[in-house]
């Protein structure tokens, strides 16, 4: 983060904010039948300023004053405003310059903040002008220039956006650039989208400020691990079914789970990975009892299928159905096919399971309610490694360690990190699950 303040996502923002949140809201004034007058536009500014009990007025006012403090000409300010709102509200149509309109936005922000603190006075603006970031943003802007210029009738739009980035504030200029792409539905290639995400992270933007509303040209759905944060597939689904899951039905919980693709994966990716895990388990010939044991262990009896007379195989069939329905909806061209299994890691995973088996045998899943012996779980995990997939077996093993709260040595943890790397897990996979179990000296 290049500013001398917390990143925007650390301030609680999960999506766009400040002036660009206002331009997104103002875009709605262009819908048929909407009031596109100054009062309606000012109401949009008041709505943004009132967010989080007035705290979001800080970024709104700061953004407006960054543009006001610049030496950018009126033509440039009006061009970027119109581009980011999709021409929904033009201050010139109502006898105002864009600078006068930005002054009004700043006044709305200050007035809202004074409701919280009467003595509030806007601080001096702190424009972001990091040379390296400016160059990177300009490069992305120029890469998109032909498509953006073709999508907008505004003359010199690309030049105006570049002038904001280099002459006013590269943070706000980047967000106005993103808003212009979104307002004009400009297709953004996946590789460029990933670069924009990385730039946003350097500015401290929440990922949603880049992703939401952007017309991304996604690659075909695949089961690659690229872009996966934390757990995934069947082991992640089981984690979501621990005590306290909040969905009306188990099927609804799965329907929600398959939508979690994150910001870097094509829509349908999590469903494809989960389908692969469950399909492999079903095709393996593992017994219904063994699958049931694995599910109960990985969920810490959060969803007791045995208490509802649902067998392990029957439950996984339902999961497969949900995955296929979701894929048909968001990626109809994708045909689910299980990828090749990397069996060369099987012996290493088995060694780790057997190494922890004596410790696991002395513990139980849900010891106070329908206890499930740790030894039975460890035996079922071995079956997954030898008969289904070492990768899935290792993920379920890690989940079992977490549920049983088994202590780990630093040496064991280092071996798990090596295995995770061979399976191409993300850097945070173990961090979010078993790092707290390590007995560090």
């Amino acid at each position: 983060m290049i500013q001398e303040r917390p990143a925007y996502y650390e301030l609680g923002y999960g999506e766009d904010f400040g002036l660009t949140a206002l331009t997104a809201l103002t875009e709605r004034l262009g819908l048929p039948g909407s009031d596109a007058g100054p009062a309606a536009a000012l109401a949009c500014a008041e709505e943004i300023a009132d967010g989080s009990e007035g705290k979001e007025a800080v970024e709104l006012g700061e953004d407006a004053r960054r543009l006001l403090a610049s030496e950018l000409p009126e033509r440039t300010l009006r061009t970027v405003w119109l581009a980011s709102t999709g021409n929904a509200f033009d201050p010139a149509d109502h006898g105002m310059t864009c600078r006068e309109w930005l002054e009004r936005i700043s006044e709305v922000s200050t007035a809202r903040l004074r409701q919280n603190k009467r003595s509030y006075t806007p601080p001096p603006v702190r424009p972001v002008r990091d040379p390296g970031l400016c160059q990177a943003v300009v490069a992305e802007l120029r890469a998109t220039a032909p498509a953006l210029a073709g999508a907008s009738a505004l003359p010199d739009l690309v030049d105006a956006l570049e002038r904001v980035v280099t002459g006013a504030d590269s943070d706000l200029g980047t967000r106005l650039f993103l808003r212009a792409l979104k307002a004009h539905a400009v297709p953004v290639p996946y590789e460029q989208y990933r670069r924009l995400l990385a730039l946003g992270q350097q500015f401290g933007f929440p990922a949603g400020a880049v992703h939401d509303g952007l017309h991304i040209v996604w690659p075909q759905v695949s089961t690659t691990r690229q872009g996966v944060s934390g757990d995934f597939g069947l082991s992640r689904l089981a984690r979501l079914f621990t005590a306290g899951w909040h969905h009306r039905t188990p099927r609804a919980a799965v329907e929600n789970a398959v939508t979690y693709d994150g910001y870097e994966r094509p829509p349908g990716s999590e469903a494809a990975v989960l389908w692969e895990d469950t399909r492999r388990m079903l095709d393996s010939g593992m017994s219904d009892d063994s699958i049931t044991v694995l599910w109960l262990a990985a969920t810490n009896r959060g969803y007791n299928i045995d208490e509802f007379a649902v067998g392990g195989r029957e439950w996984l069939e339902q999961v497969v159905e949900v995955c296929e329905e979701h894929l048909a909806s968001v990626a109809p061209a994708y045909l689910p096919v299980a990828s090749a299994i990397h069996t060369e890691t099987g012996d290493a995973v088995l060694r780790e399971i057997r190494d922890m088996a004596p410790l696991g045998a002395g513990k139980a899943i849900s010891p106070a309610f329908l206890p499930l012996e740790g030894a039975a779980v460890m035996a079922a995990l071995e079956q997954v490694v030898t008969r289904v997939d070492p990768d899935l077996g290792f993920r379920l093993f890690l989940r079992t360690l977490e549920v049983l709260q088994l202590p780990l040595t630093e040496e064991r943890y280092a071996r798990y990190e090596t295995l995770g790397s061979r399976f191409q897990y993300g850097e945070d996979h173990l961090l979010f699950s078993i790092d707290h179990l390590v007995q560090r000296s």
Side-chain angles (χ1 to χ4, degrees):
M1 177 59 183
I2 45 84
Q3 293 176 294
E4 295 179 359
R5 59 173 299 168
Y8 294 109
Y9 54 79
E10 293 176 343
L11 295 172
Y13 290 107
E15 52 190 18
D16 212 348
F17 52 89
L19 190 67
T20 43
L22 172 59
T23 59
L25 190 61
T26 305
E27 187 180 3
R28 302 175 191 172
L29 302 184
L31 296 174
S34 298
D35 177 5
L42 207 59
C44 290
E46 291 169 348
E47 182 178 339
I48 295 297
D50 198 43
S52 302
E53 299 182 340
K55 293 179 182 178
E56 295 184 26
V58 173
E59 277 66 47
L60 179 63
E62 171 81 6
D63 281 352
R65 289 189 296 277
R66 285 176 181 178
L67 291 180
L68 289 167
S70 73
E71 297 181 357
L72 296 175
E74 172 66 19
R75 179 185 178 90
T76 296
L77 295 177
R78 179 170 176 265
T79 296
V80 296
W81 171 265
L82 291 176
S84 62
T85 62
N87 302 299
F89 172 72
D90 186 351
D93 290 342
H94 305 280
M96 285 185 288
T97 65
C98 198
R99 281 190 173 273
E100 290 171 336
W101 173 237
L102 290 169
E103 288 281 6
R104 290 199 183 187
I105 294 172
S106 176
E107 290 166 3
V108 165
S109 165
T110 301
R112 181 60 186 85
L113 288 165
R114 283 178 178 165
Q115 290 181 32
N116 297 345
K117 184 180 180 181
R118 288 187 179 183
S119 62
Y120 174 80
T121 300
V125 295
R126 298 174 295 171
V128 179
R129 290 174 179 162
D130 181 274
L133 280 176
C134 279
Q135 291 177 8
V137 175
V138 168
E140 297 304 333
L141 180 56
R142 291 178 179 174
T144 319
L148 187 54
S152 172
L154 291 166
D156 303 320
L157 171 57
V158 174
D159 179 65
L161 287 167
E162 185 171 330
R163 294 183 73 177
V164 175
V165 171
T166 58
D169 184 272
S170 54
D171 172 329
L172 177 57
T174 302
R175 285 185 281 124
L176 287 168
F177 166 41
L178 290 167
R179 274 297 312 147
L181 293 175
K182 295 171 185 179
H184 294 85
V186 175
V188 176
Y190 177 59
E191 288 305 317
Q192 183 180 28
Y193 165 64
R194 294 186 64 208
R195 295 195 300 271
L196 292 172
L197 268 182
L199 275 173
Q201 187 173 32
Q202 292 185 69
F203 284 115
F205 301 166
V210 179
H211 169 277
D212 296 350
L214 199 64
H215 183 188
I216 305 159
V217 183
W218 292 105
Q220 184 180 359
V221 173
S222 73
T223 55
T224 178
R225 307 293 165 77
Q226 186 180 55
V228 178
S229 177
D231 209 348
F232 51 90
L234 188 59
S235 48
R236 176 182 177 274
L237 179 68
R239 181 185 303 275
L240 298 178
F241 271 93
T242 52
W245 55 280
H246 303 292
H247 288 276
R248 193 164 55 87
T249 66
R251 187 181 183 91
V254 180
E255 289 170 350
N256 178 71
V258 298
T259 66
Y260 186 76
D261 299 309
Y263 289 103
E264 292 194 358
R265 293 192 292 170
S269 296
E270 181 61 22
V273 173
L274 180 56
W275 181 92
E276 185 174 73
D277 279 353
T278 50
R279 191 70 264 167
R280 280 178 175 164
M281 189 80 82
L282 289 167
D283 293 343
S284 69
M286 280 188 68
S287 70
D288 192 67
D289 286 346
S290 294
I291 293 175
T292 300
V293 164
L294 289 165
W295 175 259
L296 296 176
T299 61
N300 198 13
R301 275 201 173 274
Y303 172 42
N304 296 314
I305 55 177
D306 55 338
E307 289 292 286
F308 294 95
V310 177
R313 285 185 160 275
E314 179 185 352
W315 171 237
L316 292 191
E317 289 286 5
Q318 293 180 43
V319 173
V320 166
E321 286 178 10
V322 173
C323 292
E324 290 175 348
E325 289 171 3
H326 183 70
L327 285 165
S329 173
V330 301
Y334 176 73
L335 179 63
V337 178
S339 57
I341 297 174
H342 299 286
T343 58
E344 66 275 7
T345 52
D347 288 343
V349 176
L350 276 178
R351 282 195 298 270
E352 299 302 339
I353 294 175
R354 290 168 180 170
D355 188 46
M356 290 297 286
L359 195 58
K363 303 273 280 186
I365 305 292
S366 181
F369 174 73
L370 298 174
L372 187 65
E373 296 302 322
V377 179
M378 292 295 183
L381 286 170
E382 287 198 26
Q383 290 185 51
V384 179
V385 175
T386 57
R387 301 176 63 175
V388 184
D389 177 17
D391 172 11
L392 177 56
F394 186 56
R395 279 184 280 129
L396 291 172
F397 169 59
L398 295 176
R399 176 64 189 144
T400 300
L401 296 179
E402 184 179 3
V403 171
L404 291 175
Q405 292 291 290
L406 298 181
L408 301 174
T409 65
E410 292 182 275
E411 291 76 16
R412 278 195 182 113
Y413 188 74
R415 295 199 301 268
Y416 297 171
E417 287 183 310
T418 299
L419 277 171
S421 177
R422 292 174 68 180
F423 287 125
Q424 298 182 317
Y425 297 166
E427 293 181 359
D428 55 5
H429 191 107
L430 272 65
L431 180 65
F432 289 162
S433 57
I434 62 169
D435 184 80
H436 66 286
L437 299 176
V438 181
Q439 309 294 297
R440 293 185 169 90
S441 55

